């Protein structure tokens, strides 16, 4: 079936042209991009301030966070299904459905947090199994025993972010996230170090603050939704305890593959870090530098991806094939366009960029800096495919298509990218360059599959709910 289908009364003509879609997507996406950067800043402030406590506290806090985050990211992927579902309901002008979807999103958040909490609390046992230093494991447990409670408010924040994003109310997300960064930094200053007469709680203080920060963000977003005239009509908390089992099941049906897709990609980069650890300290340091630079650039297509989910979902909900096409390809063009610029920067200015992280005047740093520059050159090459795959995946989420993309991601990352990384790095002795080459190949493979799937959405029956 061709992309250009003549509209009928059942399948309305797209309401606007390419330029209008471009402006709508950009307006929706830019606050989300900055909010993603701010979220990274929140995590970075934790790491920096833990470092002020000393290397042991930093190591323990980093280990605890690295243990907690995969569980959180999986759960966030599941409840993130609120975004495409509410966008589709908005397109269909179904206010009652929106309220029920958000309510079931909160239910899913509470259930997932309750299920994951006892698992995360086994951190000391898990660390003992894998041979971590007992003293570090004990200090990591100090942090995680409190920090794990952040799952409840943090997943609630994801539900409200998804709801607000589906109505293009992204500036409030940005403001609340920046507020969270401030609360987190000030709270750490008080409770980690005992300033202004507060007790010095060190890592326990950091755990308390991350919970309080997420409670603040949840309360701020919830107050906005309940009080703002645009959103209070949805009454998202009315009859909160009333179940809607079909929508609850649908949320997990769409969301679980989303969560597993996130885990597959995070796991690939974690595995790459483990492989780097076999090569030496300089390789690990260089890998961390290049990964930090690539992650920062990735925030732009990630924000555009969320915008793509919303724009595609709205068009899908209003039965607008042409709108789906314009929304998906506009986000794709913006995402890959930005990544082309960042790729050029990495390729041309990589050696200068890496000096932000290590002093080139110190002789011991020179090898790590040279490695980081070479890794960043390859990161520049895969910037394009990384942007393409994340926007394509989010566009497909707008069509509630998540299961097949999940399988594509798992196959591409773990059966293509990781084996190539190992073979290139260790069999062909390309070392760190070979590992980064494998990452690029895995991302490129997934990007081709996902972009191709969106391009063939009509033939694959992904738009069958839109009547001709």
């Amino acid at each position: 079936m061709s992309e250009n289908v003549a509209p009928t009364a059942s399948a309305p003509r797209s309401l606007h042209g390419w330029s209008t879609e471009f402006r709508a997507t950009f307006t929706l996406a830019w606050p989300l991009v900055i909010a993603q950067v701010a979220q990274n800043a929140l995590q970075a402030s934790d790491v920096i301030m833990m470092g002020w406590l000393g290397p042991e506290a930093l190591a323990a806090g980093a280990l605890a966070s690295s243990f907690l985050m995969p569980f959180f990211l999986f759960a966030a992927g599941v409840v993130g299904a609120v975004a495409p579902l509410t966008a589709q309901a908005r397109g269909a002008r179904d206010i009652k459905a929106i309220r029920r979807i958000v309510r079931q999103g909160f239910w899913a958040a509470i259930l997932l947090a309750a299920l994951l909490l006892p698992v995360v609390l086994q951190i000391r046992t898990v660390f003992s199994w894998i041979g971590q230093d007992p003293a570090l494991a004990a200090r990591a447990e100090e942090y995680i025993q409190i920090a794990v409670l952040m799952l409840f408010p943090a997943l609630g924040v994801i539900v409200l972010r998804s709801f607000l994003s589906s109505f293009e109310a992204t500036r409030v997300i940005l403001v609340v996230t920046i507020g969270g960064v401030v609360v987190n930094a000030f709270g750490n200053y008080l409770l980690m170090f005992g300033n202004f007469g507060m007790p010095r709680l060190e890592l326990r203080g950091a755990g308390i603050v991350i919970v309080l920060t997420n409670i603040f963000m949840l309360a701020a977003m919830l107050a906005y939704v309940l009080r703002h005239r645009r959103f209070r009509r949805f009454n998202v908390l009315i009859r909160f305890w009333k179940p809607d089992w079909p929508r609850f099941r649908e949320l997990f049906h769409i969301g679980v593959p989303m969560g597993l897709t996130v885990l597959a990609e995070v796991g690939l980069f974690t595995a790459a870090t483990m492989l780097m650890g076999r090569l030496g300290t300089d390789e690990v340091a260089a890998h961390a530098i290049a990964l930090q630079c690539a992650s920062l650039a990735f925030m732009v297509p990630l924000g555009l991806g969320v915008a793509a989910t919303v724009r595609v979902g709205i068009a899908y909900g209003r039965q607008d094939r042409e709108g789906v096409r314009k929304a998906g390809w506009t986000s794709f063009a913006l995402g890959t366009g930005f990544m082309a610029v960042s790729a050029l920067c990495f390729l041309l200015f990589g050696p200068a960029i890496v000096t932000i992280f290590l002093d080139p005047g110190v002789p011991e740093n020179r090898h790590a800096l040279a490695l980081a520059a070479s890794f960043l050159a390859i990161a520049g090459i895969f910037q394009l495919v990384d942007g393409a795959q994340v926007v394509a995946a989010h566009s497909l989420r707008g069509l509630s298509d998540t299961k097949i993309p999940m399988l594509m991601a798992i196959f591409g990352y773990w059966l293509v990218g990781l084996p190539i990384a190992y073979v290139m790095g260790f069999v062909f002795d390309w070392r760190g360059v070979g590992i980064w080459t494998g990452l690029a190949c895995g991302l490129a493979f997934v990007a081709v599959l996902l972009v191709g799937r969106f391009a063939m959405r009509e033939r694959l029956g992904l738009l069958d709910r839109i009547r001709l």
Side-chain angles (χ1 to χ4, degrees), residues 409-427:
I410 293 172
F411 184 86
Y413 297 145
W414 287 91
L415 298 181
V416 176
L418 189 61
I420 291 176
Y422 180 83
V423 170
M424 292 293 187
F426 296 94
V427 177

Side-chain angles (χ1 to χ4, degrees), residues 26-266:
F26 183 81
T27 301
L28 172 61
W30 76 259
L32 293 172
V33 171
I34 301 176
Q36 291 289 348
V37 174
Q39 189 72 36
N40 276 9
L42 191 153
Q43 296 165 4
S45 67
D46 270 350
V47 173
I48 291 168
M49 298 180 89
M50 285 176 184
W52 294 351
L53 293 172
E56 183 180 332
L58 175 59
L63 282 172
S65 295
S66 66
F67 183 76
L68 173 62
M69 286 311 294
F71 295 103
F72 170 69
L73 290 173
F74 167 74
V78 176
V79 299
V82 169
L85 291 175
T86 52
Q88 291 168 18
R90 181 193 173 193
R93 301 180 182 274
D94 190 345
I95 292 178
K96 185 181 292 186
I98 293 171
R99 177 171 62 246
R100 292 178 175 178
I101 291 164
V102 174
R103 184 170 68 218
Q104 296 311 301
F106 280 125
W107 277 40
I110 294 168
L111 175 62
L112 287 166
L115 292 175
L116 291 175
L117 187 146
V119 178
V120 177
L121 287 176
Q122 301 305 311
I123 182 172
R124 195 167 182 177
T125 303
V126 173
F127 278 7
S128 68
W129 288 346
I130 61 178
Q132 286 290 343
D133 179 82
L136 279 181
R139 296 210 65 183
E141 187 180 40
E142 285 180 22
Y143 173 78
I144 214 73
Q145 282 177 337
I146 300 171
V148 67
L149 296 175
M150 61 86 73
L151 288 172
F152 290 96
L155 292 177
V157 169
I158 298 297
V159 172
L160 290 177
R161 282 183 59 163
S162 300
F163 169 55
L164 290 168
S165 295
S166 68
F167 282 84
E168 290 104 10
T170 51
R171 294 190 184 187
V172 66
I173 296 172
L174 171 59
V175 171
V176 170
T177 305
I178 292 175
V181 174
V182 174
V183 169
N184 189 71
F186 185 66
N188 281 342
Y189 185 73
L190 293 180
L191 293 182
M192 286 176 69
F193 304 101
N195 290 303
F196 296 109
M198 300 299 289
R200 182 183 174 93
L201 300 177
E202 299 195 348
L203 287 180
R204 286 187 178 275
I208 293 171
V209 170
I210 197 65
V211 175
L212 293 177
T213 298
N214 280 281
I215 290 174
F216 159 78
M217 294 170 66
L218 176 62
M221 285 190 187
L222 191 58
Y224 181 84
V225 167
L226 294 178
R227 295 177 64 86
H228 194 281
R229 60 185 179 82
R230 186 183 181 196
F231 298 106
R232 64 189 178 201
R233 64 193 173 102
F234 292 104
N235 297 308
V236 295
L237 294 185
I238 195 170
R239 293 190 291 276
F240 185 80
W241 300 110
K242 184 179 179 181
D244 187 336
W245 298 119
R247 285 191 171 85
F248 189 71
R249 288 191 294 270
E250 184 181 19
L251 194 145
F252 276 89
H253 178 74
I254 295 171
V256 169
M258 289 168 57
L260 291 176
T261 300
V262 172
L263 275 186
E265 185 169 5
V266 170

Side-chain angles (χ1 to χ4, degrees), residues 245-294:
W245 298 119
R247 285 191 171 85
F248 189 71
R249 288 191 294 270
E250 184 181 19
L251 194 145
F252 276 89
H253 178 74
I254 295 171
V256 169
M258 289 168 57
L260 291 176
T261 300
V262 172
L263 275 186
E265 185 169 5
V266 170
L268 172 67
F269 283 92
T270 301
T273 302
M274 298 299 105
L275 291 177
M276 284 290 182
R278 298 177 58 179
L279 297 175
T281 302
D282 284 346
E283 281 80 358
V284 174
H287 175 72
I289 291 170
L291 193 57
Q292 184 62 44
C293 294

